[in-house]
Amino acid sequence: MFLHSVNLWNLAFYVFMVFMATLGLWDVFFGFEENRCSMSYMFEYPEYQKIELPKKLAKRYPAYELYLYGEGSYAEEHKILPLTGIPVLFLPGNAGSYKQVRSIGSIALRKAEDIDFKYHFDFFSVNFNEELVALYGGSLQKQTKFVHECIKTILKLYKGQEFAPKSVAIIGHSMGGLVARALLTLKNFKQDLINLLITQATPHVAPVMPLDRFITDFYMTVNNYWILNARHINLTTLSVAGGFRDYQVRSGLTFLPKLSHHTSALSVVSSAVPKTWVSTDHLSIVWCKQLQLTTIRAFFDLIDADTKQITQNSKKKLSVLNHHFIRHPAKHFEENPSIISDLTGTSMWVPVKVSRWTYVAYNESDKIYFTFPLANHRKIYTHVYCQSTMLDTNSWIFGCINSTSMCRQGVDLSWKAELLPTIKSLTLRLQDYPSLSHLVVYVPSIHGSKFVVDCEFFKKETRSIQLPVTHLFSFGLSSRKVVLNTSGLYYNIELLNFGQIYQAFKINVVSKCSGVREEITSIYKLHIPWSYEDSLTIAQVPSNTEISLKLHIAQPENDSHVALLKMYTSSDCQYEVTVKTSFSQILGQVVRFHGGALPAYVISSILLAYGGQLYSLFSTGYCLEYATILDKEAKPYKVDPFVIMIKFLLGYKWFKELWDLLLLPELDAIVLTSQSMCFPLVSLILFLFGTCTAYWSGLLSSASVRLLSSLWLTLKRPSELPKDIKMISPDLPFLTVVLIIISWTTCGALAILLSYLYYVFKIVHLQASLTTFKNSQPVNPKHSRRSEKKSNHHKDSSVHHLRLSASDAEDSLRMHSTVINLLTWIVLLSMPSLIYWLKNLRYYFKLNPDPCKPLAFILIPTMAVLGNTYTVSIKSSKLLKTASQFPLPLAVGVIAFGSAHLYRVPCFVFIPLLLHALCNFM
């Protein structure tokens, strides 16, 4: 019956939209590189020693615990307190376990063993009982206060030691990182208690799904504090994102706000981290061996030799993090590196005068210095590029000042180099070093190993090639191409007109080599200059390599940099680079950045259909099918123009003052614009997706009611249609009071769910009654709907109680089908707090604070009345016309205020439901 009310064109449209949504979802959940993280293993059995907390603290937080991680002999030794190491506190995130500390704790222990425990770290971990804090924000403040108490408890464990710490380092995964930042907002918290904060896959900018106001209020408190007090916050902070593999927390949310006066914060994507170079998913970021090794190397470099604790020098901390997480020069970290190096000893000095040079070193018995005189090269070339496949940490390239052929001392240029997976490379602009007379490349004496060193001089314009990306709406049908004909080692492909998050492309690099016998490796590095989200692709040439090109962070308006594809190539090969739009990845970006707003657009479409049904009942006396009215009423031009107009008017001071005077919240479209998340036509795309989802969810709810009614008829004796319609049955007030008491004493979402199940039961019972009636009384074709309506009207005027006919029951079921669809989404939005309450039931019988309690007090009696409501009882109501007019402005309100704040959506839904229920009495 539901499908019969939809014409084939509309059905084809809904199927097409499902296909489009599937393309976007596939790109988000599967359209990324394979997991290249190595698993980190424990060499000894991990042990978690529970730290005894003060009794008052344990009583105040019965669900939370503090543990010390250890393995083998270390764990045995540290069962006897106090401790002697450097404290690090791990904070798990949403549904995270305190045992996730084992990966980084074990690696730190192995590193300490390598240096005979000259320094070692003590890793603590908080057990938050795997709370779902990303879905329910009511416990975030409680977690923050508990962490504060844990820090004080940890520091007491070191009292009396010679090098007792005065602060702790914190590693926060997911929401644990946000809890760590929230510590600074506590009134009695001393900032000096934290010396370093590293967050992993933490959504700092905004919650992934703002399902209750406690989450958004917590975010607002934390972010406002960090922005307003940026000058006084001296906490070195590093945020690491997982990249496109992490579909739970998109990397754009993990970037800390860039403030000109807060320079001690860094944000980077794991694919850009040196020696890591992989994208991680939301869980693997805590056990990815490459990333954890980088983190531990940084921790050991942060140790102050005098205090045997993490240094208090902010400049050194930032230098260490830059060295390990941003740009690694293939050298061990030095706080004050010696720029001038001695170039003495029994070594050969070999002058090189050619502009392109390659040296293959194998079993070298003598040290060799290759010198490149720069005087003649400066006249012809602008840059010099050198690379080496020997990935040791020794200095390898120098500059001589005012020298003829050799020099005793040289400027160590190795600190300017960059480490890549298979080479270390250096590019110098010659005019930046006017005092250098020679460039010196050092080849050490080696035995049994082979490596290659290459150098070349070039003009910038021959290696910087502009490649404009294709238009967004070319749909991959057109492409643009450049061919690298010269036999260079390094190229910069400037990707013009690329800087928005809604852009997505496929880059195809075809390499053709001649006369190559050995395996050659090329590296393609996508460099985004306005954020640390670079990614690397390693290709064995000749080959055909595909690279995805899309952004986590849009280019700032005042930024003029150009995204680059840096190509580290072979001089024996030619390369062809092609770029074309990837329509599936564009859809993926829409889902990735705006998928969380989809419930708001679904509910907006259902509200429009709901209003259409109420108006149809008012104007014609009968209710149209849900699918029919959805096609007729759910149009984007009824919603989007109003939101756009409001956004435009808010640009005028007088309108903004009026807006603030009315105490209206900030428009969600403005919030999205401030986060650089506005796509062209994104609202239209989301509305179409929302209408499609509303259609299929309506089909599912209608089919579910029919299925349940069939099951009801097989289990119970068939029932008849009610002879007399009673708005309030004898048991209704009692049931309503019970559910309100449940809401008050336990959890509001539980009461909403029980009310919803009662409502569904009433509708299933009505469907079963109608099915029984139709089966028992064959339809008389001469008995038209119009004559039945006249008889019903006659009955209405002659008797006090209304009687329900088969056609009225069908009308009522059409209306109830829409209401069920609407209520289903409200129940789904309230489920997170119910799940949280059930998970913590052994600790707390009453959910406090409860985001759903106010909503439950209104929805419970409303659903109770609607369960006994029939169209015949409200079609003559004076309030029906008003009730039919409300859903349209409320549908606009859902998009205007609920797309980025989903917890506001139910507030717009209960109003038409309440008016619908009141139609029974007015």
Side-chain angles (χ1 to χ4, degrees):
M1 187 176 180
F2 187 94
L3 286 172
H4 292 164
S5 61
V6 184
N7 64 48
L8 291 177
W9 286 110
N10 287 333
L11 186 60
F13 167 75
Y14 291 133
V15 171
F16 175 71
M17 292 308 298
V18 168
F19 172 73
M20 298 277 282
T22 303
L23 284 179
L25 289 169
W26 185 92
D27 179 70
V28 171
F29 292 107
F30 304 103
F32 41 70
E33 66 182 63
E34 63 180 7
N35 193 350
R36 294 188 285 118
C37 275
S38 299
M39 177 66 77
S40 51
Y41 294 97
M42 285 82 250
F43 290 88
E44 296 177 276
Y45 190 78
E47 293 186 34
Y48 306 89
Q49 180 184 348
K50 186 176 179 180
I51 303 298
E52 188 174 347
L53 300 172
K55 290 183 179 179
K56 288 184 178 180
L57 187 62
K59 187 176 181 181
R60 198 187 316 160
Y61 305 101
Y64 300 160
E65 296 168 322
L66 177 65
Y67 288 88
L68 170 65
Y69 177 80
E71 295 177 18
S73 58
Y74 171 85
E76 289 297 322
E77 291 172 7
H78 288 80
K79 284 182 179 178
I80 304 173
L81 303 173
L83 303 174
T84 58
I86 304 169
V88 180
L89 179 60
F90 175 80
L91 304 180
N94 177 56
S97 169
Y98 66 95
K99 294 182 179 181
Q100 289 174 314
V101 73
R102 63 183 177 269
S103 295
I104 193 166
S106 181
I107 292 172
L109 188 57
R110 300 284 83 78
K111 177 75 172 176
E113 287 177 349
D114 291 343
I115 59 173
D116 296 325
F117 284 93
K118 180 182 179 182
Y119 309 112
H120 74 273
F121 289 88
D122 299 318
F123 275 84
F124 297 85
S125 184
V126 174
N127 178 16
F128 285 134
N129 194 34
E130 300 183 11
E131 290 181 334
L132 301 171
V133 287
L135 303 178
Y136 169 75
S139 63
L140 285 168
Q141 191 66 21
K142 183 170 59 176
Q143 286 190 0
T144 306
K145 292 178 179 178
F146 180 74
V147 171
H148 183 200
E149 298 298 331
C150 285
I151 292 173
K152 292 189 286 187
T153 301
I154 289 169
L155 293 177
K156 287 178 183 177
L157 299 177
Y158 295 85
K159 275 194 173 180
Q161 299 302 306
E162 183 181 359
F163 299 102
K166 298 179 181 178
S167 57
V168 303
I170 294 181
I171 299 176
H173 172 239
S174 189
M175 295 297 287
L178 187 70
V179 168
R181 287 180 64 217
L183 286 167
L184 275 64
T185 66
L186 298 178
K187 290 182 179 179
N188 56 346
F189 183 80
K190 297 178 180 178
Q191 190 184 139
D192 296 339
L193 290 177
I194 308 176
N195 52 49
L196 177 68
L197 172 59
I198 296 179
T199 66
Q200 299 173 337
T202 296
H204 292 293
V205 176
V208 177
M209 292 289 284
L211 295 173
D212 65 56
R213 64 179 178 85
F214 305 121
I215 294 179
T216 53
D217 289 349
F218 189 81
Y219 265 91
M220 190 176 295
T221 301
V222 173
N223 286 332
N224 285 348
Y225 181 90
W226 277 64
I227 291 171
L228 295 174
N229 297 277
R231 295 182 185 275
H232 311 293
I233 295 176
N234 196 31
L235 175 59
T236 304
T237 308
L238 171 70
S239 175
V240 184
F244 288 108
R245 277 194 64 85
D246 189 351
Y247 52 77
Q248 294 185 45
V249 176
R250 62 178 179 83
S251 297
L253 291 176
T254 67
F255 278 66
L256 292 160
K258 290 184 178 180
L259 302 172
S260 57
H261 41 273
H262 186 208
T263 56
S264 57
L266 290 174
S267 302
V268 63
V269 180
S270 61
S271 59
V273 175
K275 295 191 176 184
T276 301
W277 296 307
V278 296
S279 177
T280 65
D281 60 52
H282 197 62
L283 291 179
S284 68
I285 198 169
V286 299
W287 57 254
C288 182
K289 187 176 180 179
Q290 296 96 312
L291 183 60
Q292 301 311 324
L293 281 170
T294 299
T295 305
I296 291 304
R297 292 188 197 106
F299 268 120
F300 276 88
D301 282 341
L302 285 165
I303 297 173
D304 187 323
D306 295 329
T307 64
K308 293 189 177 181
Q309 295 292 327
I310 288 179
T311 180
Q312 297 299 317
N313 187 333
S314 298
K315 187 177 179 181
K316 179 182 177 180
K317 284 190 277 191
L318 209 59
S319 297
V320 170
L321 295 180
N322 270 293
H323 179 93
H324 288 283
F325 287 91
I326 305 300
R327 186 185 177 93
H328 199 296
K331 288 179 67 66
H332 291 307
F333 174 79
E334 294 180 25
E335 186 175 359
N336 298 302
S338 55
I339 302 300
I340 304 299
S341 299
D342 292 329
L343 306 179
T344 57
T346 55
S347 307
M348 293 176 58
W349 287 78
V350 180
V352 180
K353 296 183 178 180
V354 295
S355 61
R356 181 175 298 147
W357 169 82
T358 299
Y359 183 79
V360 180
Y362 182 68
N363 280 337
E364 298 293 331
S365 57
D366 297 319
K367 301 175 183 177
I368 307 175
Y369 289 104
F370 292 95
T371 63
F372 299 80
L374 300 179
N376 292 329
H377 290 309
R378 291 182 191 276
K379 298 175 184 178
I380 306 172
Y381 306 107
T382 60
H383 289 71
V384 59
Y385 170 81
C386 290
Q387 66 180 33
S388 173
T389 60
M390 187 175 185
L391 303 181
D392 64 349
T393 57
N394 296 318
S395 296
W396 62 286
I397 189 164
F398 307 89
C400 288
I401 300 174
N402 299 325
S403 174
T404 53
S405 60
M406 59 179 291
C407 55
R408 292 182 177 274
Q409 288 186 324
V411 178
D412 191 351
L413 299 174
S414 306
W415 292 101
K416 304 287 185 180
E418 180 182 13
L419 178 66
L420 294 168
T422 58
I423 59 172
K424 50 187 178 183
S425 67
L426 173 68
T427 305
L428 296 177
R429 191 169 69 164
L430 295 178
Q431 72 178 44
D432 292 341
Y433 301 88
S435 61
L436 296 185
S437 60
H438 288 73
L439 188 70
V440 180
V441 175
Y442 170 62
V443 175
S445 59
I446 57 170
H447 300 282
S449 60
K450 179 181 178 181
F451 67 96
V452 181
V453 184
D454 298 276
C455 284
E456 65 172 350
F457 292 85
F458 62 87
K459 288 184 178 180
K460 180 184 178 182
E461 53 268 25
T462 63
R463 302 300 174 84
S464 294
I465 302 168
Q466 294 185 341
L467 178 61
V469 296
T470 49
H471 194 270
L472 180 69
F473 297 110
S474 63
F475 301 108
L477 300 176
S478 62
S479 62
R480 287 180 178 150
K481 179 172 65 176
V482 294
V483 179
L484 312 181
N485 288 318
T486 57
S487 54
L489 298 172
Y490 173 74
Y491 293 90
N492 269 336
I493 309 295
E494 298 180 2
L495 302 168
L496 302 181
N497 308 320
F498 173 62
Q500 300 301 323
I501 54 175
Y502 54 79
Q503 293 177 297
F505 307 92
K506 285 181 181 178
I507 294 179
N508 205 49
V509 182
V510 178
S511 55
K512 297 177 182 179
C513 306
S514 58
V516 177
R517 294 181 181 179
E518 295 184 2
E519 191 177 77
I520 299 175
T521 300
S522 291
I523 300 174
Y524 312 132
K525 179 179 180 180
L526 178 63
H527 175 60
I528 309 300
W530 54 85
S531 63
Y532 298 119
E533 54 176 287
D534 298 0
S535 60
L536 281 80
T537 302
I538 303 173
Q540 302 296 331
V541 296
S543 63
N544 189 333
T545 306
E546 186 176 277
I547 304 170
S548 291
L549 179 61
K550 51 193 174 188
L551 293 171
H552 297 292
I553 298 286
Q555 185 174 16
E557 291 183 3
N558 57 351
D559 194 298
S560 59
H561 291 95
V562 179
L564 300 173
L565 177 65
K566 295 185 174 184
M567 299 180 64
Y568 301 86
T569 57
S570 169
S571 58
D572 297 318
C573 304
Q574 287 191 337
Y575 296 81
E576 182 180 282
V577 182
T578 307
V579 61
K580 63 179 179 179
T581 300
S582 175
F583 184 63
S584 62
Q585 291 188 63
I586 291 173
L587 292 174
Q589 290 291 81
V590 172
V591 174
R592 183 175 288 108
F593 283 84
H594 293 279
L598 185 61
Y601 284 87
V602 175
I603 291 171
S604 180
S605 295
I606 300 173
L607 279 174
L608 291 173
Y610 184 39
Q613 281 187 323
L614 289 172
Y615 186 76
S616 170
L617 186 64
F618 166 75
S619 58
T620 65
Y622 63 91
C623 186
L624 291 175
E625 280 281 358
Y626 171 74
T628 304
I629 203 68
L630 184 70
D631 293 335
K632 181 181 178 182
E633 297 293 334
K635 305 296 183 185
Y637 60 78
K638 293 187 175 183
V639 175
D640 282 346
F642 291 99
V643 178
I644 295 169
M645 184 172 62
I646 294 171
K647 182 183 176 183
F648 173 76
L649 289 173
L650 282 170
Y652 291 94
K653 186 178 178 181
W654 66 269
F655 191 81
K656 183 68 171 68
E657 290 175 350
L658 178 62
W659 188 271
D660 294 337
L661 187 65
L662 296 174
L663 302 178
L664 292 172
E666 191 173 20
L667 200 68
D668 280 0
I670 294 176
V671 175
L672 296 177
T673 302
S674 67
Q675 298 175 10
S676 302
M677 282 178 56
C678 278
F679 287 44
L681 305 178
V682 66
S683 188
L684 174 62
I685 295 170
L686 287 173
F687 195 94
L688 295 177
F689 281 166
T691 304
C692 173
T693 308
Y695 167 77
W696 292 110
S697 65
L699 175 62
L700 181 62
S701 63
S702 180
S704 299
V705 168
R706 291 177 181 277
L707 181 63
L708 290 172
S709 67
S710 300
L711 184 63
W712 175 264
L713 289 174
T714 59
L715 297 176
K716 192 168 174 128
R717 190 176 66 182
S719 55
E720 297 179 354
L721 289 173
K723 294 181 180 179
D724 294 325
I725 298 176
K726 296 180 180 179
M727 261 63 77
I728 301 179
S729 58
D731 60 338
L732 194 60
F734 173 76
L735 181 64
T736 303
V737 171
V738 168
L739 289 173
I740 288 177
I741 291 173
I742 290 174
S743 173
W744 181 263
T745 57
T746 58
C747 173
L750 174 65
I752 291 174
L753 177 62
L754 293 175
S755 301
Y756 171 76
L757 294 176
Y758 168 78
Y759 180 81
V760 171
F761 167 76
K762 296 289 289 184
I763 308 314
V764 168
H765 187 270
L766 178 61
Q767 178 69 61
S769 301
L770 180 62
T771 304
T772 303
F773 178 82
K774 285 185 174 181
N775 291 338
S776 62
Q777 296 186 12
V779 177
N780 181 0
K782 294 182 180 180
H783 185 70
S784 68
R785 184 183 181 97
R786 184 176 297 177
S787 62
E788 190 173 282
K789 285 182 179 181
K790 287 181 179 178
S791 65
N792 275 340
H793 182 72
H794 177 71
K795 290 174 187 175
D796 292 347
S797 59
S798 59
V799 294
H800 180 71
H801 293 289
L802 298 172
R803 297 180 64 85
L804 189 67
S805 66
S807 60
D808 289 325
E810 287 181 349
D811 262 358
S812 299
L813 282 170
R814 293 188 191 105
M815 183 67 73
H816 285 306
S817 176
T818 305
V819 174
I820 283 180
N821 197 6
L822 205 53
L823 289 174
T824 301
W825 285 94
I826 302 306
V827 171
L828 288 175
L829 290 175
S830 65
M831 278 300 98
S833 61
L834 175 61
I835 296 169
Y836 177 90
W837 174 76
L838 289 171
K839 200 171 185 306
N840 291 273
L841 193 55
R842 58 177 173 159
Y843 302 108
Y844 313 103
F845 186 72
K846 181 179 180 180
L847 182 63
N848 186 31
D850 189 346
C852 295
K853 189 176 291 182
L855 179 66
F857 288 164
I858 299 173
L859 272 185
I860 289 169
T862 301
M863 282 193 277
V865 173
L866 286 177
N868 289 331
T869 297
Y870 304 92
T871 53
V872 68
S873 63
I874 66 168
K875 63 176 65 176
S876 58
S877 170
K878 297 178 181 178
L879 194 60
L880 183 58
K881 183 178 180 181
T882 304
S884 68
Q885 292 171 341
F886 261 79
L888 175 59
L890 292 172
V892 176
V894 165
I895 302 303
F897 302 107
S899 56
H901 299 82
L902 289 177
Y903 65 90
R904 293 174 181 166
V905 171
C907 301
F908 292 94
V909 173
F910 83 79
I911 296 174
L913 293 176
L914 181 62
L915 291 173
H916 185 175
L918 290 175
C919 286
N920 287 285
F921 310 102
M922 299 177 67

